[in-house]
Amino acid sequence: MGAGREVAISLDGVRDKNVMQLKKLNTALFPVRYNDKYYADALASGEFTKLVYAIYWEFYCWSLSLCFSVFSCDHWAPIELDGLHLLTETVEISKPVTFWREVILSFPSVLSMFVMSLSRWLHHMISITMLHIDAYYNDICVGSIACRLEKKEGGAIRVYIMTLGVLAPYRGLGIGTRLLNHVLDLCSKQNIPEIYLHVQTNNEDAINFYKKFGFEITETIKNYYTNIDPPDCFVLTKFTTPSQAKK
Amino acid sequence: MGASLPPKEANLFKLIVKSYETKQYKKGLKAAEAILKKFPDHGETLSMKGLTLNCMDRKSEAYELVRLGLKNDVKSHVCWHVYGLLYRSDREYREAIKCYRNALRIDPDNIEILRDLSLLQAQMRDLTGFVETRQQLLTLKPNHRMNWIGFAVANHLCSKYFVAKAVEILEAYEGTLEDDYPPDNERCEHGEMLLYKVLLMHIIHVREKHGLFKELCLLQGIKSVVLISLLEECGFLERALEELHKKEPKIVDKLVSKEQEVSLLVKLGRLEEGANHYKALLAMNPDNYRSILCLLRIPLDFLQGDKFCAAAANYIKPLLTKGVPSLFSDLSPLYDQPGKADILEQLILELEHSISGDGRYPDRTEKEPPSTLLWILFFLAQHYDRRGQYDIALSKIDEAIQHTPTVIDLYSVKSRILKHAGDLVAAASLADEARCMDLADRYINSESVKRMLQADQVALAEKIAVLFTKDGDQHNNLHDMQCMWYELASGESYFRQGDLGRALKKFLAVEKHYADITEDQFDFHSYCLRKMTLRAYVDMLRFQDRLHSHAYFHKAAAGAIRCYLKLYDSPLNSPAEVEDNTSKATQKKKMKKQRKAERAKKEAEEKNEGSSASGTSKSGKRHIKPVDPDPYGEKLLKTDDPLSEATKYLKLLQKNSSDSLETHLLSFEVNMRKQKILLAFQAVKQLLRLDADNPDSHCCLIKFFHKVSSMPAPVSDAEKLVWSVLEAERPSISQLHEKTLSEANKIFLGNHEDSLMHRAAVAEMLYTLDPTKKLEAVKIIEDSSNKIVPTNGALGSVMEWKLKDCIAVHKLLDNVLIDTDAALRWKVRCAEYFPYSIYFEGSRSSAVNNSLNNLDTETPLNGGANGPDIIQSGNAFTSNGKLEAFKNLKI
């Protein structure tokens, strides 16, 4: 018998059905209340606004039958990840644990659990026909990034990061990095040259975090905040594609 | 058929029958009229015309014509058959059976009529008749498979002593088959038949074990000597197994066949073989992977002390790591065993301490994921809730919400804790907060609706429930879906609010669902025999036989009876209504206003629909639903005799839930009001049989004899008879043996001195027996003391009294003993015990604490929703005074 424990995270879009999750996070994370426009912008930004879910799963392997120990598998479905359809070919049961570990780890966004179905006993051959995925079971929403797409004069688009945050107990696991990288990747894919955000001047952790990704302080705004102290903020900006030839 | 007609008309008559069968009713009607032009009195044609009209929604004409036809031709089996069909279409099965029987008297071998009759007999459970009819069918057409099977099933159903005969029949049937049977397209059906046979053999074995079977076999004159000798060798089981082996290639559902085989092997004591088969089964059915977990869970039911503790830790830890929200409900049965709750508490608290210290389980090196602490807190909150320590439960769940505010289950549990603690309004608003977090989840939507109904926010609940119904616009859809929990909860809410009409409406709707379910079995009598799904068929019939003992039916019937009792006690438009205190009156006014508004709205909607529907109606597809003529149950309330209405449902309860105290309590109340002394006495005796120590049983006993003693001396013979029965019975009741009622009352107090509810019952009876002893009665209640339940006392203490009981006592003081001062004292006292209770206006309930959400703290806390106004606004957040755009996102 073998066993293992893995941590995985997955991103999910914000829709009107789950926007309350984003509100809950913001209430817990930020001293500022956000208004309707914030949420309208976030919803409108599409892929640029994401919730992040953390999943912990364990798997076990018995000598005779192999089973990823999980709960609630009410429906069977072929794997569908990032738009890829993948129906595992029939695999023999005697694969070692490491094989399964690889199967799982090769899909970083694998959501929660795997259960294999042995083929009907009629065929007297035990094989794996399908993997099961249940995206919304015991995964927990632990953070979010919310952006606004802004049109500059002349038609160019830039991205404003309205909020980025991870719940305190789940920090230090690289989740914030994942979120920011997601947006940076999108920007470079879509040739969006400019990303910027506001940070309270005393928030050194955040400033250092963004600097790691190539953001620079481009401006200081006095009395930006009304209810918190200090009221001043920096504008941090990152220009992704130096060649702005497309204009 | 149509024999008395000349050839041309006879052909026309055949056309009518054919048109009826193919549902071409207009064609049939024309043909009928053509015949009637020449022979206006031809009975069979008249009947057939009636039957055709019946299918065209012209009921009254149909009955007229069919009856006229029968009158003109009483000797025609066709007329009787048609009459039967007519009754059957109106679900008047008893009448239909009579008609079929008359038809058969004229034409005893008519297969069609026999078949129709057998269906009705199965439906009405006239099983002896069912066997006879089936036998006749088999004799007439032995080459038809369905007739063999039908006869066998009829025997099985009719009496447990005929099961062996059923097996014989099936075997005889098999004897008629060729060797190469079944053909490929019949394999499933044949396999099902064989499995059914094995099942029957199994049943016989069990019965034989009880020694009954052999004897009755002889009594029933089952001739087969072979059978008996086989029995003596414990044969049936072996035979069943043999049968299974022999026929295995022919059985299609291998899984079931294997399962049956295993259970037979185990019963035969061939355990080793059985174990091997179980292993094979497990491999066959990997969906049973849960069984691996079961292996760890089951021992927790049996182990004790340290062993239990170790096993529990072993079981719980990985599940907390994984985050299994259902862990607590998985373990909650253990709380009924003494001591285990304490051990679990210790265990989990240790885990909490260790995790919040260094993030690891005790004695482990591996760090736990951050969510483990969350799930520990989640478990603890439910643990303390279960133990009645609501304060600690709330603080734990709040801690969890603060840890990870995005987990929906946390809000649901907080809502449940608040409900238990007595703050239904806050519970509803939290359930709604949970709902808002995932608007696509029907389960939390339903939960939120339920909480709203419990808090008597019916209109709002309806609005939320409708978000998930198909039509979206009307809650009738919930009725069509037979959504009974909703109807029950909303009926109960209307009942609490005094809107008896709507309450009755809802309760009777549930009753109607059960009638429909009974009705729905009709189609299966022919379908299952044809498709050979015999095991499922028999299961279904057994289920239908117990249908009305289902808890939901019980609740609905009890609710309806209570409505009728209340209606009887304070009829509408009586002086009682004037006496109603002003608050009630204004409430009624408000309700009336609300209804008027709703009605106006509905009418407007209907108008809208009408104009928009005119387009669709042209296509003719639009299904028009009949409008409910009595949406508020006002007509129901106008019944002349509420008690006889109540008796209808009472009878169903007595028949199907005779072991429930509530049934007999209601029977007592109804029959006392009806002055049916002996029936009321029967209820008292049933109560004493079920639980003589129950406070309610005691009250009924005392009330009954008190009432009897205050009645005038018997005059009529009937009254004298009743009297003599009571005289004869009274000594047999041990509680009253050579004692007066007040002595019996005192003794009851002595026996249950420590229980609040028993003391309250004694006090009530003391007052009933002698109204001058009111002060003494109040003193008995006030002298009760709320003791601390002994626990290991890790955190806080648990009090003995339940909120529900304390509320009942308050109502007793207020409404029965009518001592406002004592009631007030009681309320103040209970507000201490139940600070979250709205009823007692506890200091921490939303009844007092309405301002909690008015954000004196600038940041509203997640899960801190409180007070009803939140619900109106639809969300728990305000930002700088602005309401966030939520309402438009709701749907």
Side-chain angles (χ1 to χ4, degrees), chain A residues 5 17 20-21 23-25 27-28 33-34 36 39 56 69-71 73 76 118 121 138 140-141 169-170, chain B residues 254 283-284 287 289 293 319 322-323 369-370 403-404 406 411 433 436-437 439 860 862 877 879 884-886:
Chain A
R5 179 185 294 172
K17 300 273 188 199
M20 189 63 159
Q21 293 274 354
K23 295 190 183 195
K24 292 282 177 198
L25 285 169
T27 309
R33 302 290 103 221
Y34 292 94
D36 302 355
Y39 292 102
Y56 301 88
S69 162
V70 281
F71 294 86
C73 64
W76 296 84
L118 303 179
W121 76 290
N138 50 0
I140 300 169
C141 180
Y170 306 87
Chain B
K254 302 290 182 195
M284 258 158 72
D287 287 353
Y289 70 94
L293 263 173
L319 300 186
K322 236 171 275 170
H403 183 280
T404 308
T406 49
Y411 299 84
E433 199 176 338
C436 290
M437 289 171 73
L439 296 169
N862 279 325
F877 293 82
S879 73
E884 283 181 278
F886 229 83

Side-chain angles (χ1 to χ4, degrees), chain B residues 262 265-266 269-279:
Chain B
V262 173
L265 278 171
V266 171
R270 285 153 71 174
L271 295 179
E272 224 164 279
E273 267 176 80
N276 283 333
H277 277 80
Y278 266 124
K279 278 182 199 157

Side-chain angles (χ1 to χ4, degrees), chain B residues 178-195:
Chain B
E178 307 284 328
D179 279 347
D180 60 348
Y181 196 83
D184 271 352
N185 58 351
E186 297 264 343
R187 279 185 58 214
C188 273
E189 283 85 352
H190 193 66
E192 279 295 322
M193 195 275 284
L194 293 174
L195 283 173

Side-chain angles (χ1 to χ4, degrees), chain B residues 232-292:
Chain B
E232 271 163 5
E233 302 167 16
C234 177
F236 257 98
L237 215 47
E238 295 277 3
R239 258 185 71 199
L241 195 60
E242 228 171 79
E243 184 75 26
L244 209 54
H245 281 299
K246 211 165 63 196
K247 301 284 169 58
E248 192 181 333
K250 291 191 174 178
I251 297 176
V252 179
D253 194 340
K254 302 290 182 195
L255 197 63
V256 175
S257 117
K258 270 274 181 272
E259 274 169 5
Q260 277 197 355
E261 185 177 346
V262 173
S263 107
L264 285 170
L265 278 171
V266 171
K267 287 220 170 83
L268 279 169
R270 285 153 71 174
L271 295 179
E272 224 164 279
E273 267 176 80
N276 283 333
H277 277 80
Y278 266 124
K279 278 182 199 157
L281 262 177
L282 211 65
M284 258 158 72
N285 189 5
D287 287 353
N288 276 343
Y289 70 94
R290 271 159 228 252
S291 51
I292 297 159

Side-chain angles (χ1 to χ4, degrees), chain A residues 70-96:
Chain A
V70 281
F71 294 86
S72 159
C73 64
D74 296 321
H75 55 274
W76 296 84
I79 299 180
E80 187 179 342
L81 295 169
D82 298 330
L84 270 176
H85 280 266
L86 180 132
L87 190 66
T88 51
E89 71 276 34
T90 309
V91 190
E92 273 189 42
I93 193 74
S94 55
K95 293 277 179 191

Side-chain angles (χ1 to χ4, degrees), chain B residues 10-35:
Chain B
N11 276 337
L12 273 174
F13 188 82
K14 271 180 201 152
L15 182 68
I16 307 176
V17 177
K18 204 174 151 205
S19 314
Y20 172 75
E21 277 162 4
T22 51
K23 299 190 174 172
Q24 294 174 302
Y25 302 123
K26 275 188 187 154
K27 208 167 152 193
L29 203 58
K30 249 186 210 159
E33 263 147 23
I35 301 176

Side-chain angles (χ1 to χ4, degrees), chain A residues 197 199-201 203 207-208 210-211 214-221 233-239:
Chain A
L197 54 104
V199 179
Q200 205 177 356
T201 46
N203 192 346
I207 295 164
N208 289 334
Y210 286 111
K211 279 186 172 167
F215 283 82
E216 287 159 18
I217 297 174
T218 49
E219 198 186 341
T220 308
I221 305 177
C233 78
F234 293 129
V235 176
L236 289 169
T237 313
K238 177 183 164 91
F239 297 98

Side-chain angles (χ1 to χ4, degrees), chain A residues 13 37 62 90 135 139 159 164 168 193 214:
Chain A
K37 186 167 179 310
W62 269 264
T90 309
D139 42 355
V159 169
L164 164 61

